Amino acid sequence: MTPKFLVVSGSTRAKSFNTQLAALVGKYLALENAEVTRLNLEDYPLPLYNGDLEDEKGVPENAVKLKRLFETHDGIFIASPEYNSSITPLLKNTLDWISRVRDEGEQPLSVFRKSIYAVGGASPGLHGTMRGLIHLRTVLEIGLGCTVLPDMITVNYAGKAFAENGDLANEQTQRRLTLLVERLHKEAQSRMIRSD
């Protein structure tokens, strides 16, 4: 069986370091013979979540499409920038809207329990995105019930972190990324076997 992975960047900025990181993870997952989908959140614009808006107009179509993407992949990698020690409003809003999509008879948040998650981030600063990733883990694990690998990849001084071929220039960081990808792939395969 070939596992399917979704790689997501929490940024839509041109030349985003986190989009580069997500692409790199996708590249290494593909080298593991996995099927990879790269998700650009710019393709799925959503209004700021508001309960009154949901009551009046229902869940936006793009939230439904995103939920379908999340539930049809065995593993999900999220590359998250850090905004003031937290995650981007874009990423939080996306997760909030997906959490509101529910098929008839479906348990709340069940979409988030179908995949294995891994997280990482790249930042121009000294600490990478460590503080933001801790917040992201709280949202994913406690808020949404996701299973998230304990391993994380943080890339600091991101302006100089990527080599010309897109790999990470620092050998130690590159090795940590490789190990994370290998574990994500292995855990996704294990979950596929258990659900068979």
Side-chain angles (χ1 to χ4, degrees):
M1 294 184 293
T2 302
K4 296 174 65 177
F5 293 90
L6 188 67
V7 294
V8 186
S9 171
S11 173
T12 57
R13 291 181 62 185
K15 299 182 180 179
S16 161
F17 298 129
N18 287 279
T19 300
Q20 284 183 261
L21 179 61
L24 185 56
V25 169
K27 170 185 168 181
Y28 280 101
L29 284 167
L31 291 173
E32 294 280 337
N33 295 316
E35 185 178 331
V36 179
T37 303
R38 288 178 58 184
L39 172 60
N40 183 346
L41 294 179
E42 195 169 31
D43 296 333
Y44 299 87
L46 292 165
L48 187 63
Y49 179 76
N50 180 302
D52 291 340
L53 177 64
E54 182 185 3
D55 289 342
E56 181 184 341
K57 296 187 176 180
V59 176
E61 182 181 352
N62 279 337
V64 176
K65 291 178 180 177
L66 285 165
K67 191 231 181 191
R68 299 291 175 242
L69 272 174
F70 271 59
E71 70 187 354
T72 55
H73 288 81
D74 306 295
I76 297 174
F77 175 80
I78 300 176
S80 178
E82 181 175 297
Y83 283 16
N84 298 317
S85 301
S86 186
I87 63 177
T88 61
L90 171 67
L91 180 56
K92 182 63 166 62
N93 192 55
T94 298
L95 295 171
D96 287 343
W97 271 118
I98 293 172
S99 76
R100 303 303 300 166
V101 183
R102 198 173 308 157
D103 293 329
E104 186 175 348
E106 186 178 63
Q107 290 296 311
L109 306 178
S110 62
V111 60
F112 294 104
R113 299 185 180 98
K114 295 182 177 181
S115 310
I116 184 74
Y117 286 74
V119 298
S123 165
L126 170 64
H127 302 292
T129 56
M130 182 59 72
R131 293 166 298 186
L133 290 180
I134 291 169
H135 190 189
L136 177 57
R137 295 187 72 92
T138 300
V139 172
L140 292 174
E141 294 178 317
I142 298 174
L144 301 175
C146 301
T147 300
V148 186
L149 293 181
D151 321 57
M152 300 187 293
I153 184 71
T154 57
V155 180
N156 62 356
Y157 302 124
K160 300 178 180 179
F162 294 90
E164 288 186 9
N165 67 354
D167 289 343
L168 294 172
N170 182 282
E171 288 185 14
Q172 184 178 4
T173 308
Q174 177 64 45
R175 177 62 179 158
R176 284 178 26 237
L177 178 66
T178 301
L179 290 172
L180 174 64
V181 168
E182 288 174 353
R183 182 166 184 188
L184 179 61
H185 185 268
K186 181 179 179 181
E187 291 290 337
Q189 282 188 315
S190 297
R191 289 168 74 93
M192 289 174 66
I193 292 169
R194 288 198 299 269
S195 65
D196 244 10

